[in-house]
Structure formats: structure tokens, C-alpha cells
Amino acid sequence: MTRTVVRQVRRRKYSYPNERIPPGVEEVISRGSCHIGKLNDTMVLKYASDFNDPGYLISIKVENRILNILGAHPRIVESKGLAEDGLILKYYPNGTLRTYIKNHPYETLERRLEWCKQLVDTLSYVHFKRVIHCDICLHNILLDENYDIILADFQGLLMSSTTGMPLLDGLTRECAKSYMPRDNVYFANVRTDLFAVGSAIYHLISGHEIFPELDSFDDEKVINSRFMNGEFPNNDYVASHIVERCWRGEYESAAEISVDIAQVQATTKAVGEALKQEEALRQEEALKLEDEDAEYEEEL
């Protein structure tokens, strides 16, 4: 049996002339290997973009089974179950984190770090359930009504607790900018997920993808070569040491990353409070000087 990993499928906003839209879909809000169609104000339908390709249909069924195994979780996309044309999911009107970051370039560092923490804490739970996500990126992270993260797109792997081999495989793998270089494209484990987390944290903190001058699809070989040779961006951004440890495969678990992010959060908070105190002292000193000037003028 020939297996095809679902990689290098460009997301697009436009429709093809003969694009099939399942009954009940009001609007297609995301296009790729699978499309997302809005059913109403509370639900969407995830369905195969090519209804003649059984590979994509299998991926959707695998995602349904994985979501059932993960169960209800406040940071994981809520499934409503399979329908004839695909998988029904909860609709999150605030969209993807990728789009939000693009449209809000001045979002606070505090909020960005909190999203990083939410991501790794959620992934820690996912890995505990023996699920490998296989496609962590900001496009697959949604925002709920409180603008907290919702991890979506679970067409990855379910691993056996006894053999360590895949029990389910949705055949999706990361795009080049989130992909840990490896000989076997089908292989995925905790470390490949954590590598992708590094690229997601970089995107969150810097406001853009790694290697923005390169295209994930057209320049895949160049990106892969840079990662293999450790040619990372300058480490002049917050949490760069965490990102590089992810890319170098130095973390054993998402929980370890969570600890390091919490330390960065604490340091950032302490620096912020110190700066506020310094500013308050400056303002107090300025008021004193104004009072002294006023007294001097009165004496004259």
C-alpha cells in the first residue's frame, strides 16, 4: 500500500470554478488539503478538498478518533462528531492565532508569552494521551471567546503504549518551517512536535515566521539545510534560548518547555514592575522640582 504524507498543500483563499461545497456549508473559511466550511454561528464542517482522494477522507476519520481519545479539554478544538461529508467542529469566530498576530503587531509581550505557555501545557496533555500532533503552527491554533488558545487539526499519530508504534496515522506532517530534518518523512515523535513548538514560539514572539524571506514550499530544501546546519536567526529576541533548544532537540517533554517559559514570564514581569517603579520615582522627582520652582518664583 502506497502512503502519501499530506505536506506541501498550499492554503488558499479563493475557490476553484468546480469546487464542491457540501450541503449546509454557508461559507468556506479555510482551504487546503481539507477545507473548513461554516455551517452556522456555532459549528463548522471539516471535509476533504478532493472527495475522490480516499487518503484525505481517512485523515478526517483518524482526526475524529483522536479527538475522541483526547476527550473534552478547554484548549483543544471541540468535536461534534462525524457527518456524511466530514467532521463537525465547534466554530471559533476569533479565527487563527496566525491571523491575529498579523493584524495586531503591537500585542503585548505578556500576552504572547501566555499563549506560548498555553500551547506547551496543552501539548503536554496531548502527549500524555500518546498523541503526536504532527502539524503545530499558528495556523492550527485558534482563539476562543477570551482570546485563549485552542489547538486544532489533529490529523497526526496515536502511539501504542506497549510497542511505541503508530496505531492511527492521519498522514499529516509539518511544513518546512516547522519540520525537524529526518531521513524518514513518516517518522514523528515527541521531539518532532517540540521542534515545531520552537518555530511557533519564534513566530509568536517575533511576529513573523522563521526565515520570512523563504517560502515553505518552494524553498523547502534551503530551509531544511539551515535547520540541519544550525543556521538559526539572531538570538536577540525574548525566549530565544527556549526556541533554539526546541530546534536542537534538547527538550524531553513539553512540560520542560513550560517550566522555562514560566521563568521567562516571571523575569519579564519583574522587569516590568521595576520599570514602573522607576517611572513613578521619576514622576515624583519631577513634581518635586516643579514645586521647588514654584516656591522660588513666589520668593522672587
Side-chain angles (χ1 to χ4, degrees), residues 43-149:
M43 295 185 295
V44 298
L45 177 71
K46 185 171 186 176
Y47 61 97
S49 57
D50 184 350
F51 283 83
N52 297 315
D53 189 333
Y56 294 131
L57 297 175
I58 291 173
S59 294
I60 288 176
K61 292 179 181 179
V62 167
E63 181 169 11
N64 175 61
R65 292 183 64 184
I66 287 177
L67 287 175
N68 286 338
I69 289 167
L70 291 173
H73 189 281
R75 297 282 162 264
I76 292 176
V77 63
E78 183 180 334
S79 172
K80 306 291 186 180
L82 282 174
E84 182 179 355
D85 293 305
L87 179 61
I88 299 176
L89 302 167
K90 179 179 177 179
Y91 174 54
Y92 297 90
N94 288 324
T96 70
L97 188 51
R98 177 189 178 94
T99 299
Y100 184 90
I101 287 296
K102 181 180 179 181
N103 294 335
H104 300 82
Y106 301 110
E107 183 57 78
T108 65
L109 176 60
E110 179 184 13
R111 189 59 168 148
R112 292 171 191 262
L113 287 171
E114 181 58 26
W115 281 325
C116 293
K117 186 72 163 50
Q118 290 178 356
L119 172 59
V120 295
D121 287 346
T122 305
L123 190 61
S124 184
Y125 169 82
V126 170
H127 288 167
F128 173 75
K129 290 287 191 175
R130 296 180 288 107
V131 171
I132 308 300
H133 187 277
C134 293
D135 194 13
I136 294 170
C137 61
L138 266 57
H139 182 83
N140 291 330
I141 300 173
L142 306 173
L143 293 172
D144 68 9
E145 62 277 8
N146 298 316
Y147 290 90
D148 292 319
I149 75 150

Side-chain angles (χ1 to χ4, degrees), residues 173-193:
R173 299 296 184 267
E174 308 85 357
C175 72
K177 293 187 178 184
S178 301
Y179 183 81
M180 174 179 271
R182 50 197 186 265
D183 294 333
N184 184 354
V185 70
Y186 299 105
F187 177 80
N189 63 7
V190 168
R191 274 196 171 90
T192 60
D193 263 3

Side-chain angles (χ1 to χ4, degrees), residues 173-226:
R173 299 296 184 267
E174 308 85 357
C175 72
K177 293 187 178 184
S178 301
Y179 183 81
M180 174 179 271
R182 50 197 186 265
D183 294 333
N184 184 354
V185 70
Y186 299 105
F187 177 80
N189 63 7
V190 168
R191 274 196 171 90
T192 60
D193 263 3
L194 300 185
F195 184 99
V197 166
S199 294
I201 293 175
Y202 178 90
H203 193 165
L204 263 172
I205 300 300
S206 68
H208 58 78
E209 290 182 332
I210 186 175
F211 311 137
E213 75 282 5
L214 299 178
D215 182 85
S216 289
F217 305 94
D218 298 335
D219 302 311
E220 181 176 9
K221 290 183 178 180
V222 177
I223 296 168
N224 190 70
S225 176
R226 289 189 182 182

